[in-house]
Amino acid sequence: MKFGGSCLTDKSAFNKILRIIDIYKDVKKIFVISALNGITDLLLKAALNLEEATITDKNISLIEKRHIDIIEQIFEEDSEHYIKAKDWIDEKLSELDDAFADIKEFGLEPYYRDYVLSFGEILSTYIFNQYLLSKGLDSVYIPANKILITTDEFNNAYPLYDLTNFRIKRLILPILENPKKDIMICVTGFIGRNKIGYITTLGRGGSDYTATILAHSLYITGNDKNIKVILWKDVDGLLVINPIYVSEPSLIKNLDYDEAKHIANFGAKVLHPKCLEAIEKYKIPLEIRNFDKPLNEYFTEISEETNREQIKGISAVELATIVSVTSGSLVNVPGVLAKIFKTMSKNKINVSFVAQSSSEISTSFIVNATDSEKAIQALNHSKFFSDFFNIKWESVAVINITGLKILENKTKAEVFNALDKKNIKVKAISQSYNEINLSIVIDKENLFDAINIIHDDLYEEFES
Ligand code: ASP
Ligand code: MG
């Protein structure tokens, strides 16, 4: 079970966690804990602004205050666990202070960045574990950098499963499979370590990923294959559309891993897109549940099963730029696409959508609006492109419609009919071979209307 920062806000939130533990009292549990709300941002902000000692001190005391506030609410003053939690905060904040001094001296190297960000989870998870102990529950705190071994990519590390499995087998299974004791385990989300011991992080919002990586490794190393991941959130689950576009959109009750990957990538950031990779192969189910309503029958389940007769979700990329590279002369010449994408990759620009007609005259692709200038400049600076191609760009929005049903002609016809009713012009489209996602590029100004009319007209195809 993963508890995000929004589940750790005050005493009543911690009480709710006890209730959840009681509901799941008959199963073995591992908790993955995120930083308190806003702490990761605060740590980052602090690390980025170390010029003035007074500002750094202010940031550190703010971080301290947030944790002390929680401690004072959830523990009895001067009790054993209160004191332990307080001492921990003192100790860790002094380590953080040392880290800030190093950063001032050596600069914010990628390693330091991850190290600093790791403090959020290290503080919250230790406190969480002390809370369980204070309630008479048996529980151990395990920082993930003891068990989750990752690649060296600071800020966006990937698990090295063989090494991680080995650690899980050695450090987690003996606790979990001990028949005499019912011990819970509290693991820090978001962080890991590389082979030589430096702390790494899995990318922002990465605690979801920690939970699925643990499930993956337990599945491989443990005897019990009956494993489930539950992500407790402050929402009921994944919605078919972000509520900023449509009022009270319905909840997606079930979807498969592929559909979920698409939705997580575009969606309202309820689910970390990378985290499905870890559980898909072993068909480990994942639930997203509202931590306020643990017995609610409305939640999202991601598993092998899906209703093939449904559209699962619509999402939008609001700030996108479409770039089109056109040439009448260079058709049938191998390597043009390679050159385009090499130029993007050299400039670290991510391309999220590609369309080329089979005449090869024109290729269009989407980049983030923030990268658009860089992308155009890079193409214009290349002699190959400026001599033979016409390069155009425009700010646009992209709508993604996800679900197996989108493979049907009838559904596509309905989508285009809906847009036609509102006179909304489709500027480009893309769907990979047999892919369950259709992307439609339109004018930015039309985004709201487009999503609404598609939602209204295809209402019956959605889950409700
Ligand atoms: N605390 C980290 C973040 O804010 C990880 C997480 O919340 O999942 O990005
Ligand atoms: Mg967070």
Side-chain angles (χ1 to χ4, degrees):
M1 289 183 181
K2 177 240 168 177
F3 290 101
S6 55
C7 310
L8 309 167
T9 47
D10 55 16
K11 185 178 174 142
S12 81
F14 276 80
N15 276 331
K16 285 176 198 158
I17 290 168
L18 286 186
R19 193 167 152 235
I20 290 173
I21 291 178
D22 188 53
I23 294 171
Y24 290 87
K25 62 174 175 292
D26 296 330
V27 294
K28 299 267 183 182
K29 291 171 286 300
I30 298 183
F31 302 113
V32 172
I33 309 300
S34 292
L36 301 188
N37 257 349
I39 293 296
T40 312
D41 287 327
L42 211 53
L43 287 163
L44 183 60
K45 211 176 92 196
L48 289 170
N49 297 291
L50 293 174
E51 312 81 40
E52 264 186 75
T54 48
I55 298 184
T56 307
D57 290 348
K58 218 175 90 195
N59 279 316
I60 293 187
S61 26
L62 200 60
I63 294 166
E64 179 175 22
K65 185 177 174 310
R66 289 282 313 282
H67 290 88
I68 298 283
D69 273 355
I70 285 288
I71 289 180
E72 290 187 336
Q73 287 186 53
I74 64 174
F75 297 116
E76 227 160 277
E77 212 178 320
D78 294 332
S79 65
E80 180 197 343
H81 306 286
Y82 174 90
I83 291 167
K84 279 203 172 131
K86 261 202 154 158
D87 287 350
W88 184 261
I89 296 179
D90 282 348
E91 190 187 318
K92 292 299 145 188
L93 289 184
S94 115
E95 288 172 21
L96 181 62
D97 213 17
D98 292 345
F100 284 160
D102 279 353
I103 294 168
K104 265 203 338 240
E105 197 175 341
F106 306 120
L108 186 58
E109 297 290 329
Y111 159 67
Y112 281 128
R113 201 190 122 109
D114 278 18
Y115 177 57
V116 165
L117 293 195
S118 75
F119 279 89
E121 273 69 14
I122 288 182
L123 290 167
S124 64
T125 309
Y126 185 90
I127 295 171
F128 187 94
N129 185 58
Q130 285 300 321
Y131 177 73
L132 299 188
L133 293 174
S134 77
K135 296 293 168 189
L137 300 164
D138 210 353
S139 176
V140 282
Y141 163 72
I142 300 188
N145 50 319
K146 285 221 162 92
I147 47 178
L148 209 170
I149 315 297
T150 73
T151 58
D152 292 324
E153 285 152 273
F154 292 110
N155 201 9
N156 192 24
Y158 280 87
L160 295 170
Y161 282 118
D162 287 346
L163 301 175
T164 302
N165 295 346
F166 186 71
R167 293 265 170 143
I168 296 278
K169 194 166 177 179
R170 212 177 53 190
L171 295 168
I172 301 280
L173 281 185
I175 305 173
L176 219 53
E177 292 184 347
N178 180 349
K180 287 197 211 103
K181 279 194 146 182
D182 183 20
I183 306 185
M184 294 170 242
I185 302 174
C186 300
V187 179
T188 52
F190 182 50
I191 67 178
R193 55 161 274 193
N194 68 4
K195 274 196 260 180
I196 52 175
Y198 288 104
I199 292 216
T200 52
T201 65
L202 304 172
R204 292 304 305 273
S207 300
D208 291 355
Y209 198 19
T210 308
T212 59
I213 293 168
L214 293 182
H216 171 121
S217 292
L218 285 168
Y219 187 94
I220 293 183
T221 53
N223 292 318
D224 189 349
K225 308 290 180 199
N226 188 4
I227 298 170
K228 186 196 279 183
V229 178
I230 304 179
L231 308 177
W232 295 100
K233 307 254 171 178
D234 54 0
V235 291
D236 288 344
L238 296 171
L239 300 173
V240 298
I241 298 183
N242 189 327
I244 60 171
Y245 297 112
V246 172
S247 65
E248 297 187 27
S250 44
L251 181 86
I252 311 174
K253 279 177 114 178
N254 74 74
L255 68 174
D256 68 15
Y257 301 100
D258 270 339
E259 291 170 326
K261 271 189 256 173
H262 282 288
I263 296 207
N265 247 315
F266 306 126
K269 303 235 159 23
V270 172
L271 179 68
H272 196 279
K274 284 203 294 196
C275 78
L276 297 160
E277 163 272 318
I279 51 172
E280 180 175 13
K281 190 166 158 202
Y282 305 106
K283 305 184 169 59
I284 301 169
L286 180 146
E287 295 175 358
I288 302 171
R289 286 176 171 272
N290 191 332
F291 128 100
D292 247 336
K293 305 176 228 163
L295 293 172
N296 203 344
E297 57 181 296
Y298 286 100
F299 61 91
T300 297
E301 179 176 40
I302 300 169
S303 69
E304 295 181 85
E305 267 144 60
T306 181
N307 184 337
R308 306 187 155 247
E309 288 304 307
Q310 287 172 342
I311 290 181
K312 294 299 172 172
I314 301 186
S315 56
V317 181
E318 290 160 27
L319 299 171
T321 299
I322 190 160
V323 181
S324 58
V325 181
T326 311
S327 168
S329 58
L330 276 182
V331 293
N332 237 326
V333 178
V336 173
L337 288 181
K339 285 201 174 78
I340 295 178
F341 296 126
K342 205 164 164 194
T343 308
M344 294 303 115
S345 125
K346 257 209 237 138
N347 289 280
K348 297 204 159 38
I349 297 169
N350 188 45
V351 173
S352 64
F353 165 111
V354 186
Q356 189 196 52
S357 60
S358 57
S359 70
E360 299 177 31
I361 288 175
S362 160
T363 303
S364 308
F365 57 92
I366 295 271
V367 299
N368 244 328
T370 46
D371 285 335
S372 56
E373 233 168 272
K374 212 165 48 164
I376 307 300
Q377 261 179 15
L379 291 170
N380 279 330
H381 279 161
S382 141
K383 219 171 145 30
F384 175 76
F385 288 112
S386 56
D387 283 355
F388 295 104
F389 291 83
N390 181 8
I391 297 156
K392 281 188 298 201
W393 65 277
E394 193 184 331
S395 301
V396 291
V398 187
I399 295 180
N400 296 291
I401 304 169
T402 304
L404 271 167
K405 184 119 185 150
I406 200 66
L407 286 170
E408 288 173 23
N409 290 340
K410 194 176 141 272
T411 317
K412 288 200 187 79
E414 279 173 331
V415 169
F416 284 92
N417 270 330
L419 293 172
D420 195 47
K421 274 193 219 161
K422 290 265 171 187
N423 263 325
I424 296 171
K425 202 171 137 220
V426 173
K427 303 191 154 229
I429 50 174
S430 174
Q431 179 206 311
S432 310
Y433 174 72
N434 262 345
E435 188 49 286
I436 54 169
N437 185 82
L438 176 72
S439 298
I440 298 177
V441 177
I442 56 168
D443 253 338
K444 253 180 10 196
E445 295 72 50
N446 291 332
L447 181 61
F448 188 84
D449 283 349
I451 289 189
N452 269 277
I453 188 83
I454 296 174
H455 179 251
D456 289 354
D457 276 24
L458 279 80
Y459 192 73
E460 256 128 61
E461 328 281 4
F462 287 97
E463 184 155 28
S464 57

